[in-house]
Amino acid sequence: VYTTSQSGWKYIYEIPKVLLTKDAIKITNYIIFMGVLFILLITISINIYMNRLLKPLGKIVTATQRIEMGDLTVDVDVNTKDEIGKLSNTFNNMIKNLRMMIERITNVINETKKVTETVSLNIYELHSAIHEISASIQSISDGTTVQTKRANVCSQSVKNFGDSLHGFVDIF
């Protein structure tokens, strides 16, 4: 509505609604399109970032599961400079240390087996030697008993001979 100042007439202009809202609809559609595009780009960026972040963690999880099954030949290959890379390096060092520890324990067990076998063999030989010594002592003891009896018989014979000789000397 427009009123003229000189005549006081009022003018009414009729403009179609489509003409008035045409630019606003274009701007709204542009804003919606840009918003959807922005959300799509953010979603793709987050997805790429999460894959880069979670893929190394997946490798570490897989390696941990293999270690749980007893496979200590696992090596995690993650070449990043962030905390995941540090975790990967620490994990690899831990596995290396476990391998070395198991190798040392295996060596100690093998050495212990060898020492046990040697001690067992020495005990068997010592037992045999003690048995032989015991038999020798018994033989010496038996021999000593026999010789003591013979010495007593000899001593008695000498005494009897001495008594006979003494009696014979008294006769002359």
Side-chain angles (χ1 to χ4, degrees):
V1 176
Y2 176 72
T3 307
T4 61
S5 56
Q6 294 173 357
S7 63
W9 286 68
K10 293 186 177 184
Y11 297 102
I12 298 176
Y13 295 108
E14 187 176 316
I15 301 174
K17 184 178 178 183
V18 171
L19 213 68
L20 286 176
T21 59
K22 181 172 130 182
D23 289 335
I25 290 173
K26 280 183 183 179
I27 292 172
T28 303
N29 287 340
Y30 180 75
I31 290 173
I32 290 172
F33 174 74
M34 292 306 279
V36 168
L37 184 63
F38 180 74
I39 290 172
L40 185 64
L41 287 175
I42 292 294
T43 303
I44 291 171
S45 297
I46 289 174
N47 193 11
I48 290 171
Y49 178 75
M50 292 304 288
N51 281 340
R52 285 187 183 169
L53 180 69
L54 294 178
K55 189 173 184 178
L57 282 176
K59 287 181 180 181
I60 293 172
V61 168
T62 302
T64 305
Q65 290 169 340
R66 286 179 55 193
I67 289 170
E68 181 183 25
M69 301 297 276
D71 182 7
L72 293 180
T73 61
V74 175
D75 193 32
V76 178
D77 185 29
V78 176
N79 297 323
T80 60
K81 304 277 186 201
D82 58 0
E83 288 77 14
I84 302 296
K86 290 177 185 176
L87 176 65
S88 171
N89 289 335
T90 303
F91 185 84
N92 287 334
N93 289 336
M94 179 186 69
I95 295 303
K96 179 181 169 186
N97 290 337
L98 279 174
R99 278 187 235 140
M100 289 178 8
M101 188 183 316
I102 288 173
E103 184 177 332
R104 285 193 304 259
I105 289 171
T106 302
N107 289 339
V108 167
I109 288 171
N110 290 336
E111 287 297 317
T112 304
K113 277 183 179 179
K114 288 178 185 176
V115 168
T116 302
E117 289 171 0
T118 302
V119 167
S120 177
L121 182 62
N122 289 342
I123 288 174
Y124 178 75
E125 289 173 357
L126 184 61
H127 176 67
S128 296
I130 289 172
H131 185 65
E132 288 177 21
I133 291 171
S134 175
S136 296
I137 290 173
Q138 184 64 40
S139 177
I140 291 171
S141 174
D142 292 345
T144 304
T145 304
V146 168
Q147 286 189 4
T148 301
K149 287 180 184 178
R150 286 186 183 163
N152 285 339
V153 168
C154 231
S155 174
Q156 190 64 35
S157 295
V158 170
K159 182 180 175 196
N160 289 342
F161 178 71
D163 287 343
S164 299
L165 193 58
H166 192 287
F168 188 67
V169 171
D170 282 339
I171 297 179
F172 288 110

